[in-house]
Each structure stands twice: as structure tokens, then as C-alpha cells.
């Protein structure tokens, strides 16, 4: 009797799929399998075995079983089921996020011609019009081009209008304009696939010079079909070494051969090939030595380097407050208990984390430490490496796929009971999990902005509950949701009110930028007070940080004649100006936008240059508006020419080790003045910093977001906490246009309690979290009328179906950013007093969307949304 299993696949469908099991296959729940799905070969996870086949079931069988034993434990499978139910995400997509093992499977994409494509190709065959000569202007000749003077085999179909895509009976009715070169590429693709055999995408692109958009367009018109194959591969990272053979007889050698042998002899008779290349040793010379039997090439597993900032190993010295916090955590090990560790900046929370992890390790338990961003890993990894050495594993997105797979396997085998990483590390397969620590638990980076849209903080709490582990959420500025849970007794709160060694919190000076303009008559980026304080700190040999929370040089280009902003062609957002700092030196008016300077969209990556005239009114008066971190670096260089200035933002920290190198320079004193975005505000412990300047931190108070005040308070408090962490006291200068706002005032006095009391009153009145739950429903489509129509259908349904008032619907309306990457966006906000009511409303809405044939991929349901833009 045939057997069947259920498989969860990473597709936007809320169901599992039933497959037949071939003889000899032994799929286990939690193991990976390769299955056919439409024209693809997908990797799924088995969620059930020995299931019954549905009626009228056309059997498709498993292609391969990749794992003899389940990769995911029952507790992780249970967590995936909870996430799929809570966040309304397909379980297959949840499981894909839990398994960072894509390096272990090689996927290959193929294209083949369809019957419709054959019809089009037949109509396009031309024996009448000879086309010869070179390929279209601007393109290099490729394989498949006609020889000079030879007749071409294909031309446009006779019924095709010049400049439009070819259309055939039964094909796409889309009349998208195509250039002559794109039409030529379409013909070449069809001709290359005419044999009917599937062709690899790389081979097809090489043979025809077709771009991916051209192939996607042909697929949409159903002239070609996309297929994929997946096979298991060895993902182990290997490194090749050149090894000297000492017993070999030395014949006559050239100078280069002698140099290589000398290098090997000086380095213990072996060196990695990569190191020899760095030393400019010719590969051809090395191969000659191998052939002559003087050197051999060995292949070995590559070593993994944690990296991180250097930290001195040694026992942790905890003060009385830290010991009390540790005692509470250690006593709870072995069972489920959530803690909120509320400690001021510099109170030594990290030392408590490390000590608690050591206590867990002593009891044979694993620990996971989550940090909000990769930017915090160098310092944290350095501390963990000094404390635990080879027992530490690292998981984050900056690792290569092979490295992530290697680290994941180490954790699963129990070789690394200490795990540190960003939000996805919450799924680490740590055996005997006893402790999860969520550092800076308030940080928005814990919320994933793609399916599944989970919050790693909340998932950590649920995983700890399932595993019977302790979960610690630490922050100087806890989220209001976590704070309210501690008020209600759901979380046990631990307070750390003082800095280590009784160091004082920094003094904060508020500078009213409205008054600054009245007194100076100039709109300056940096106030007089901030300039003076910075100069004094640098003169004393101290370090200073300046927070300017915008990337780029200027964040908009505006026409002063008509007010038009230069926007991205794909997104409804102003383009940001980027330019090298040196390019502003000597300019008469740095604010004037000059033709040819670079503009960039930070959402889709679109780039263009500044036009000569306004595209709307043809005025020449284009000017830059606002200032970003690039401009801050330039202005500081002009004010403090002798300062050693660095910049920390997404433009300077691109590679895996960029941040590590920058922080090393800062810790060593090579940089004494650092300007940057919010990356500089999170968790860095630099004892030489005595001054922090805050510029433009309050602009988000004018954003349409009920969490705006909370975010401003958190950012101000966190960045202020970077000052005075060493022996010298710290000082903070905050430039603001809202000096009387309660969030600004509370942050200036380090009074979290005062801020919470005021903010919670507002949230209670408006039924916002933590006194209610909400979800953001985003409806999107490349066609404006589709997105508007679908959102109207769903909005009307939700209003009509929620007569009881348990769920309130705000919208639908255009999203604050109406278009991103060419996709139009409308949204609705659903508010409810209970999660059960909200979940039921969202599920009924999804069912209605399915009945109205609204594609699931065009709907985004963000439960507990943090960003409403």
C-alpha cells in the first residue's frame, strides 16, 4: 500500500502539500526533502508522515530525502506552527527561515520553449527580407549573430507594430513598448530554445545576450517556461595549502621558485594558497614546483574566525547590583521564566549576561544571545570569545551561505553551546537550551520586514516557554509592551539604576535651534554650543560622537521656482544626494544642486544625476535640502581641520569587517571625532568618549506614527549613554526644535519613569499597544487601479463584517510611501482589544481575498507592526 507525507513548502500558500513516498525512502518529520512543484524543484520540510491521500489525488512523489534524521526538533516545529498561526504566515516560509542551509543544495534554473512560443517562432520565420550586417548598435557580437553578409533567419512578425512587443493568438494582450534591441533579443531566445530541450539560464544568456527582464517578460507572455532543479551538494568550506616536501632533492631552481620554497620553509613548511597569492607568488611557478615533486597541495577544512574586537580574558568582577541580578537569573535556570532587565546605560548588563551564560553552561545548558544588528556583534563576539573560546558560534546574514551552514551544524552537534547573532539566531538548534538573552530588546531591528514578519523578542519568549528556558530582555529603554508586561507581573523586572563604579550619567544640554537661528541669523548645521563643547573635548585629548541620523549629503533636491522635489522613478520618495566630501571644497554655494551630481534612492537603489533644469518647470534653480552624515563629516572637517574624523553609516560600513575596522580605530584613539547615523547609538562601550552631540534626532516627531515619541526618547537616551563610560564624566548637547516636548525633556533628565507615565496615558486613551493589539494590512500591485480596487474590496468587507466593534478598521488609504520599487501601496490598520478577535478578523479577510481572487502575494499582513510607512 503506498504511503504519503505532508510537506511544507516555501510558497505563499497557507497549506501543506501531500506527496507520495517511493519505496526505500524514509522521510521523517522535521527532515528536508526535494519535491516537484509546478515546473520547479523545491526544498520542503516534512510536517507529517503516514497521512491519508486526498480524494481525486494525482500522486506526485518525493524526488529525494535529504536528511536521514530530523533536522528540526519537535520544539522548533511547534514554534514554527505557533508562528504560522500568530503571524498568519505560510508554515513553509517560516521553516525556510529556520534552516539557513541553502548552501547544501545546488539550484539550477532552466528555460524551455512552450507551444505558444513555437507558434510565435513559426510566424516570425522570414525568408523574404534579408537582414545582414553587424548586431544592433551598442551591443557586442555574441554567438548566434549572423555572419557579415549572411541572411538573418528571423524578423519581426508581419502583424507586429514597430516598437511594440510581439503578440500572438492566445498570448499576452499586453502592449508594452519594446526597443528594437529587446525585440531582437526575444527572437534570439526563442530561436535558441527551438530544439525543445531545457537550457540553463547562464547558457541561454551567454548565447543570446538576453537580460533577466527580457526572460521574465517572455515567461509572462507564456512563450517560454521557467523550470528549476535542485540537488544536494557538499557545503563544507575547504582551504588549499601548499606544503613543502622536505625530503625531496633540490634541482636547479629559478629565482621565483627559490622564493616560494623560502617562504614555505620560513612559515612551518606550509602556507595557504590564498596567502601565497597575497605575497605575489606566481601560481604558474607553484605548479612547476608541484610537478617537480618539491611541493604538494593539500585540501583541508577551512578554519572559521569569529572576529570581533580584542578583549582581555579573565574572571568577571561584578558589583552588588550585578550579583543580585545574576542570582535571580541563576535561580530560575531549569524552567520557564521571563525577565525584564531594566538597567541604565553603562550599568553593566552585558557582564550579567555573560555570567548567566556561564552558570547555564556549568549546568550543561546552551545559551543564545541576540543582538539587534550586526553592528553590535564585533564587541559582543570579542567578549564571548575571551570568556568561552571555541564554544561560541556566530549566526547572522553577513556570513556566507557556507559559513552559516557550518555554524548551524556546529550548534546542532552541541559543539558550540554559546550562540550569538541577530534575530534569526533565535532559531538556532541549540540542544538543552536553558537561557535566551535579548539585548536592547526595544530595538526595531528585531522585527523582520519580510515574510514571516516576526518579532524575534516575542519569538524568544515563546521559544523559552516551549523549551522550558529562562528568557532575559535587557534594555535601558524597554519597549512599552515589555514594561507593561512587567507591571502586570507577566515578566519579572530587575532594576539596575546606577552605572558601574558609581559613575555619573552624562549631563544633557538642550539647544533650542529656533532661538539659535534668531540670535545668529544663519541656518547652521551645528550650533555654537555644540561646536564649543566639541572643540574643548578635542583640546583635552578626549573623543566625541555626533549623531546625525540621515544618510547621504542632502536628503532632497528641490526646485525653488515651483517646489518640485526630484523623486525616484520607482518609489514615491525623494532622491538622496551623495557626493565625495572633497567635491564641496571651494564651492561658492554648496547648497546649489549642480548638473551631473549623483542622486540615489535608498529603497530600490535607483541612481541618476542632477538634471540641468527642473523637469516640471525648466527652472535652473535646483537646491539641496537638509543634511546627512556625509555633509556632517565635511562640515566638521572645515570646523576642526586637525581632528581625526570618521563616519559610521550604511555607506561606510558595507562589508563584513568594515565596522570591526572602524571600531578598532575608534577604540585605539586613531579616530577622535566620529559622526554617524543611529549605528553609533547602540551598545558601543568606548571609554574615551566624553561628549555626544545629537543633531536632527527629533524630526521623526512629525511622522504619522504613534510610536514616534517612544523612538525619539529611546534614541536620545541610547546615544547619550555613549558618553562618560570611562573615568571621565560625560556631557551631551542635544539640538532640537521641540525643547518642550515631554520625550525630549524626559530623555534630557534620564527619567524613563516620567516618560512612561506620560506615554502610557496617551496609549490608553487611543487604545494603542500595549492597551490593544494592531496589524497593518498592505495591499500592493504594480497597477494603481488594481491596488486601489483590491484595498476597497477588503476595506468594505472588514467594515461590514465587524459589526460587533471588537475590531476597528482605519482605512483603507494610500500608504505614507505610496510606491516602492514600482509597486503601488494601500494600507489598513486593524485595532482590537484582544488577539483572538484580531486573528479571527485577519483570517476572515484572507478568506475573502481568496474568494475575490486577490493573489496572496499581493497582500502583506503585519501583525504587531512597528513600521506603518
Amino acid at each position: 500500500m503506498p504511503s504519503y507525507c505532508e510537506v511544507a513548502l516555501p510558497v505563499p500558500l497557507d497549506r501543506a502539500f501531500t506527496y507520495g513516498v517511493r519505496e526505500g525512502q524514509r522521510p521523517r518529520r522535521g527532515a528536508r526533502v526535494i519535491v516537484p512543484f509546478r515546473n520547479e524543484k523545491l526544498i520542503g520540510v516534512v510536517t507529517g508522515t503516514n497521512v491519508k491521500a486526498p480524494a481525486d489525488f494525482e500522486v506526485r512523489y518525493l524526488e529525494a530525502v535529504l536528511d536521514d534524521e530530523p533536522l528540526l526538533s519537535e520544539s522548533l516545529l511547534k514554534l514554527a506552527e505557533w508562528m504560522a498561526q500568530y503571524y498568519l504566515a505560510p508554515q513553509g516560509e517560516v521553516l525556510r527561515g529556520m534552516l539557513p542551509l541553502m548552501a547544501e543544495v545546488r539550484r539550477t534554473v532552466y528555460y524551455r520553449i512552450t507551444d505558444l512560443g513555437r507558434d510565435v517562432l513559426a510566424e516570425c520565420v522570414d525568408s523574404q527580407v534579408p537582414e545582414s550586417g553587424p548586431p544592433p548598435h551598442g551591443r557586442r557580437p555574441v554567438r548566434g549573430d549572423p555572419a557579415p553578409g549572411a541572411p538573418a533567419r528571423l524578423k519581426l512578425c508581419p502583424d507586429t507594430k514597430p516598437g511594440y512587443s510581439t503578440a500572438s493568438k492566445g498570448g499576452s494582450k499586453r502592449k508594452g513598448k519594446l526597443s528594437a534591441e529587446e525585440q531582437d533579443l526575444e527572437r534570439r531566445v526563442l530561436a535558441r530554445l527551438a530544439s525543445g530541450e531545457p537550457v540553463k539560464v547562464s547558457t541561454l544568456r551567454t548565447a543570446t545576450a538576453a537580460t533577466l527582464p527580457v526572460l521574465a517578460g517572455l515567461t509572462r507572455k507564456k512563450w517560454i517556461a521557467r523550470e528549476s532543479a535542485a540537488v544536494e551538494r557538499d557545503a563544507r568550506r575547504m582551504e588549499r595549502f601548499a606544503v613543502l616536501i622536505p625530503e625531496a632533492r633540490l634541482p636547479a631552481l629559478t629565482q621565483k621558485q627559490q622564493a616560494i620554497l623560502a617562504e614555505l620553509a620560513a612559515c612551518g613548511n606550509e602556507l595557504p594558497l590564498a596567502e601565497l597569492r597575497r605575497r605575489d607568488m606566481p601560481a604558474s611557478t607553484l605548479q612547476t614546483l608541484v610537478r617537480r615533486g618539491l611541493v604538494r597541495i593539500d585540501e583541508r577544512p577551512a578554519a572559521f574566525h569569529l572576529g570581533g574586537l580584542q578583549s582581555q580574558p579573565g574572571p568577571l568582577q561584578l558589583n552588588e547590583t550585578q550579583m543580585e541580578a545574576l542570582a535571580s537569573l541563576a535561580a530560575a535556570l531549569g524552567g520557564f521564566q521571563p525577565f525584564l532587565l531594566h538597567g541604565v546605560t553603562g550599568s553593566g548588563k552585558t557582564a550579567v549576561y555573560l555570567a548567566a551564560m556561564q552558570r547555564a553552561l556549568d549546568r550543561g545548558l546552551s545559551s543564545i544571545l541576540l543582538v539587534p544588528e550586526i553592528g553590535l556583534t564585533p564587541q559582543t563576539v570579542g567578549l564571548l570569545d575571551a570568556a568561552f573560546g571555541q564554544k561560541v558560534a556566530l549566526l547572522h546574514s553577513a556570513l556566507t551561505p557556507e559559513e552559516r551552514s557550518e555554524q548551524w551544524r556546529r550548534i546542532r552537534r552541541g559543539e558550540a553551546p554559546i550562540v550569538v547573532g541577530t534575530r534569526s539566531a533565535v532559531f538556532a538548534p541549540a540542544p538543552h537550551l536553558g537561557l535566551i538573552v535579548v539585548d536592547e530588546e526595544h530595538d526595531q531591528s528585531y522585527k523582520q520586514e519580510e515574510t514571516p514578519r516576526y518579532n524575534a523578542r516575542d519569538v524568544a519568549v515563546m521559544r523559552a516557554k516551549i523549551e522550558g528556558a529562562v528568557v532575559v530582555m535587557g534594555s535601558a529603554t524597554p519597549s512599552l509592551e515589555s514594561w507593561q508586561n512587567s507591571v502586570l507581573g507577566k515578566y519579572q523586572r530587575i532594576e539596575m539604576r546606577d552605572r558601574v563604579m558609581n559613575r555619573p550619567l552624562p549631563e544633557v544640554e538642550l539647544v533650542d535651534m529656533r532661538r539659535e537661528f534668531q540670535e545668529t541669523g544663519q541656518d547652521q548645521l551645528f550650533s555654537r554650543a555644540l561646536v564649543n563643547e566639541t572643540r574643548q573635548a578635542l583640546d583635552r585629548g578626549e573623543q566625541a560622537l555626533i549623531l546625525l541620523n540621515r544618510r547621504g549629503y542632502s536628503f532632497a533636491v528641490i526646485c525653488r521656482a515651483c517646489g518640485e522635489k526630484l523623486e525616484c522613478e520607482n518609489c514615491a520618495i525623494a532622491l538622496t544626494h551623495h557626493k565625495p566630501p572633497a567635491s564641496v571644497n571651494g564651492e561658492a554655494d554648496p547648497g546649489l544642486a549642480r548638473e551631473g551630481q549623483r542622486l540615489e534612492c535608498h529603497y530600490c537603489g535607483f541612481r541618476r544625476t542632477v538634471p540641468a533644469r527642473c523637469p516640471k518647470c525648466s527652472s535652473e534653480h535646483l537646491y539641496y535640502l537638509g543634511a546627512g552624515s556625509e555633509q556632517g563629516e565635511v562640515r566638521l572637517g572645515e570646523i576642526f581641520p586637525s581632528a581625526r574624523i570618521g563616519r559610521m553609516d550604511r555607506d561606510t560600513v558595507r562589508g563584513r569587517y568594515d565596522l570591526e575596522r572602524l571600531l578598532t580605530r575608534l577604540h585605539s584613539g586613531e579616530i577622535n571625532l566620529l559622526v554617524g547615523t543611529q549605528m553609533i547609538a547602540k551598545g558601543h562601550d568606548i571609554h574615551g568618549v566624553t561628549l555626544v552631540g545629537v543633531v536632527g534626532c527629533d524630526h521623526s516627531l512629525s511622522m504619522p506614527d504613534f510610536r514616534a515619541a517612544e523612538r525619539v526618547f529611546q534614541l536620545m537616551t541610547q546615544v547619550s549613554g555613549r558618553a562618560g563610560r570611562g573615568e571621565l564624566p560625560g556631557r551631551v548637547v542635544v539640538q532640537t526644535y521641540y525643547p518642550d516636548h515631554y520625550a525630549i525633556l524626559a530623555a534630557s533628565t534620564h527619567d524613563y519613569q516620567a516618560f512612561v507615565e506620560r506615554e502610557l496615558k496617551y496609549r490608553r486613551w487611543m487604545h494603542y499597544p500595549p492597551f490593544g493589539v494592531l496589524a497593518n494590512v498592505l495591499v500592493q500591485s504594480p497597477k494603481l487601479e488594481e491596488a486601489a480596487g483590491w484595498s476597497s474590496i477588503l476595506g468594505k468587507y472588514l467594515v461590514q463584517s465587524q459589526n460587533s466593534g471588537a475590531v476597528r478598521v482605519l482605512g483603507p488609504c494610500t500608504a505614507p510611501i505610496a510606491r516602492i520599487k514600482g509597486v503601488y501601496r494601500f494600507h489598513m490598520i486593524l485595532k482590537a482589544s484582544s488577539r483572538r478577535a484580531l486573528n479571527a478578523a485577519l483570517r476572515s479577510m484572507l478568506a475573502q481575498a481568496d474568494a475575490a481572487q486577490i493573489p496572496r502575494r499581493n497582500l502583506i499582513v503585519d501583525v504587531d507592526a512597528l513600521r506603518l510607512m
Side-chain angles (χ1 to χ4, degrees), residues 75-384:
S75 60
L76 283 174
L77 288 172
K78 187 175 181 180
L79 179 66
E81 292 169 0
W82 173 83
M83 289 178 62
Q85 189 277 335
Y86 184 85
Y87 292 107
L88 285 86
Q91 189 175 358
E93 297 194 339
V94 174
L95 291 169
R96 176 175 57 180
M98 287 186 168
L99 288 169
L101 303 177
M102 292 308 297
E104 298 181 4
V105 178
R106 179 183 289 109
R107 293 179 58 85
T108 308
V109 176
Y110 297 88
Y111 285 94
R112 62 172 178 82
I113 194 167
T114 63
D115 291 339
L116 183 58
R118 289 184 187 280
D119 294 341
V120 173
L121 183 62
E123 293 175 10
C124 291
V125 173
D126 177 31
S127 59
Q128 301 175 359
V129 183
E131 294 181 357
S132 61
H137 177 69
R139 179 171 68 77
R140 297 174 58 190
V142 298
R143 190 191 316 167
D145 281 335
R153 292 169 295 172
L154 301 175
K155 76 174 188 65
L156 284 175
C157 301
D159 60 345
T160 301
K161 297 179 181 180
Y164 286 80
S165 61
T166 55
S168 179
K169 53 188 176 182
S172 172
K173 298 293 190 288
R174 185 176 61 91
K175 292 290 184 180
K177 287 188 176 182
L178 294 179
S179 66
E181 183 173 358
E182 288 174 320
Q183 295 176 57
D184 178 65
L185 291 176
E186 285 192 345
R187 299 197 310 266
R188 293 182 185 280
V189 170
L190 293 177
R192 178 64 180 82
L193 298 175
S195 67
E197 294 295 324
V199 178
K200 287 174 61 174
V201 62
S202 56
T203 303
L204 186 60
R205 294 185 65 191
T206 301
T208 64
T211 62
L212 291 177
V214 168
L215 296 177
L218 288 169
T219 305
R220 284 195 298 270
K221 290 185 284 190
K222 299 182 180 179
W223 294 355
I224 65 175
R226 183 182 183 274
E227 300 176 349
S228 70
V231 294
E232 195 171 8
R233 64 179 287 262
D234 186 354
R236 291 178 299 173
R237 296 182 308 112
M238 305 301 289
E239 190 171 15
R240 302 181 73 197
F241 283 77
V243 181
L244 183 64
I245 302 176
E247 62 272 12
R249 295 178 60 186
L250 294 180
L253 300 172
T254 65
Q255 185 175 357
K256 291 181 179 179
Q257 291 170 350
Q258 292 176 15
I260 291 180
L261 295 179
E263 288 286 345
L264 294 176
C267 298
N269 291 343
E270 63 179 38
L271 271 177
L273 263 58
E275 181 61 29
L276 283 175
R277 284 194 295 269
R278 281 193 290 269
R279 301 185 185 190
D280 296 324
M281 299 297 172
S284 58
T285 305
L286 178 62
Q287 289 303 317
T288 301
L289 293 172
V290 172
R291 286 195 302 269
R292 300 179 73 174
L294 302 176
V295 174
R296 72 171 186 270
I297 304 298
D298 287 353
E299 195 171 56
R300 307 170 188 171
F304 179 80
H305 302 286
L306 279 175
L309 302 179
Q310 293 298 318
S311 181
Q312 294 298 323
L316 294 170
Q317 301 295 327
L318 303 183
N319 59 29
E320 183 178 353
T321 302
Q322 292 171 315
M323 288 297 296
E324 291 175 355
L326 174 62
S328 298
L329 302 182
L333 287 173
F336 170 62
Q337 176 62 57
F339 288 91
L340 176 62
L341 181 57
H342 177 217
V344 299
T345 56
S347 60
K349 295 185 291 294
T350 303
V352 175
Y353 302 155
L354 297 184
M357 295 167 85
Q358 182 62 60
R359 293 290 181 90
L361 190 61
D362 294 341
R363 297 181 59 172
L365 302 174
S366 300
S367 300
I368 298 175
L369 172 59
L370 301 182
V371 293
E373 288 190 359
I374 297 172
L376 284 179
T377 55
Q379 182 167 300
T380 307
V381 165
L383 293 169
L384 290 172

Side-chain angles (χ1 to χ4, degrees), residues 82 86-88 447 457-458 481 484-485 488 490 706-707 763-764 766-777 802 805-810 828-842 861-866 868:
W82 173 83
Y86 184 85
Y87 292 107
L88 285 86
K447 187 72 161 70
R457 177 197 63 206
D458 300 335
E481 290 85 351
Q484 187 65 13
N485 279 332
L488 297 175
K490 296 180 180 179
F706 71 91
R707 287 190 173 92
R763 301 280 184 93
R764 186 180 287 108
M766 303 302 294
H767 303 286
Y768 278 122
F771 301 105
V773 291
L774 64 80
N776 188 32
V777 177
Q802 300 302 318
V807 178
R808 184 182 179 190
V809 182
L810 307 180
M828 297 169 283
I829 296 176
L830 277 64
K831 297 167 60 178
S833 57
S834 75
R835 297 193 181 277
R836 185 184 299 274
L838 179 65
N839 190 279
L842 291 172
V861 178
D862 191 0
V863 178
D864 298 336
L866 294 183
L868 303 177

Side-chain angles (χ1 to χ4, degrees), residues 460-784:
V461 175
M462 180 53 64
R463 182 169 184 193
K465 183 177 181 179
I466 294 171
E467 300 267 10
V470 170
V471 58
V472 182
M473 291 155 283
S475 177
T477 54
S479 64
L480 294 189
E481 290 85 351
S482 295
W483 181 264
Q484 187 65 13
N485 279 332
S486 72
V487 171
L488 297 175
K490 296 180 180 179
Y491 298 168
Q492 182 176 333
R493 190 193 313 162
I494 301 174
E495 296 279 359
M496 299 175 65
R497 296 184 174 86
D498 300 310
R499 282 187 160 185
V500 294
M501 302 177 69
N502 292 319
R503 290 169 180 156
L505 289 167
E507 296 182 4
V508 180
E509 176 185 355
L510 297 181
V511 178
D512 188 344
M513 294 304 289
R514 300 168 300 182
R515 180 175 299 176
E516 183 79 5
F517 178 78
Q518 293 173 355
E519 294 177 356
T520 63
Q522 295 179 324
D523 185 15
Q524 296 290 348
L525 179 57
F526 301 118
S527 64
R528 294 167 297 175
L530 180 55
V531 170
N532 290 336
E533 291 288 346
T534 305
R535 180 175 288 111
Q536 292 176 25
L538 296 180
D539 290 345
R540 293 192 300 264
E542 299 163 4
Q543 293 172 293
L545 302 182
I546 307 293
L547 171 69
L548 213 170
N549 200 23
R550 292 267 194 170
R551 281 176 59 196
Y553 191 86
S554 298
F555 51 77
V557 177
I558 192 170
C559 173
R560 290 196 170 177
C562 69
E564 180 76 0
K565 285 191 299 184
L566 295 186
E567 288 195 345
C568 172
E569 67 175 21
N570 305 314
C571 310
I573 199 75
L575 291 167
T576 300
H577 172 48
H578 290 262
K579 63 179 176 180
S583 65
V584 299
N585 294 337
E587 288 187 8
D589 186 0
L592 178 64
R594 302 184 184 279
E595 183 181 2
Q597 293 177 334
R598 180 168 69 93
L599 302 175
E600 182 176 341
C601 174
H602 291 163
Y603 282 84
C604 72
F606 170 76
R607 293 185 179 185
R608 65 163 296 176
T609 56
V610 176
R613 295 178 177 273
C614 171
K616 183 176 181 180
C617 70
S618 299
S619 169
E620 298 178 349
H621 301 291
L622 297 175
Y623 277 78
Y624 293 123
L625 183 68
S629 54
E630 283 183 13
Q631 187 174 155
E633 182 183 23
V634 172
R635 298 289 172 248
L636 290 172
E638 294 170 351
I639 300 170
F640 309 108
S642 60
R644 304 182 297 278
I645 301 174
R647 190 175 94 238
M648 183 186 293
D649 56 29
R650 295 297 178 195
D651 300 304
T652 60
V653 181
R654 292 185 179 273
R656 176 173 165 185
Y657 298 107
D658 290 343
L659 181 62
E660 193 172 312
R661 285 191 287 266
L662 185 60
L663 289 175
T664 299
R665 294 174 60 202
L666 186 63
H667 278 271
S668 67
E670 182 182 343
I671 293 174
N672 62 357
L673 180 55
L674 181 69
V675 60
T677 57
Q678 61 181 348
M679 292 178 71
I680 71 173
K682 299 180 179 180
H684 304 302
D685 186 23
I686 301 104
H687 286 199
V689 173
T690 59
L691 176 70
V692 168
V694 183
V695 178
C697 170
D698 54 3
H699 70 87
S700 60
L701 289 174
S702 59
M703 302 292 283
D705 189 346
F706 71 91
R707 287 190 173 92
E710 182 181 9
R711 287 176 181 151
V712 168
F713 174 83
Q714 288 170 343
L715 184 58
M716 272 190 61
T717 302
Q718 291 290 334
V719 74
S720 299
R722 302 315 105 201
R725 299 173 76 94
E727 296 180 358
L728 298 174
R731 185 168 178 77
V732 181
V733 178
V734 179
Q735 298 181 181
T736 177
Y737 286 92
Y738 306 99
D740 299 322
H741 194 281
Y742 65 92
I744 304 288
L745 291 173
S748 68
T749 57
H750 311 286
D751 194 343
Y752 178 80
Q753 191 68 42
F755 169 76
V756 164
E757 290 176 0
R758 181 76 175 267
E759 183 69 9
L760 285 180
K761 287 182 181 178
Y762 160 68
R763 301 280 184 93
R764 186 180 287 108
W765 292 336
M766 303 302 294
H767 303 286
Y768 278 122
F771 301 105
V773 291
L774 64 80
N776 188 32
V777 177
L778 195 65
V779 184
Q780 54 186 13
S781 171
K783 298 179 181 179
L784 176 61

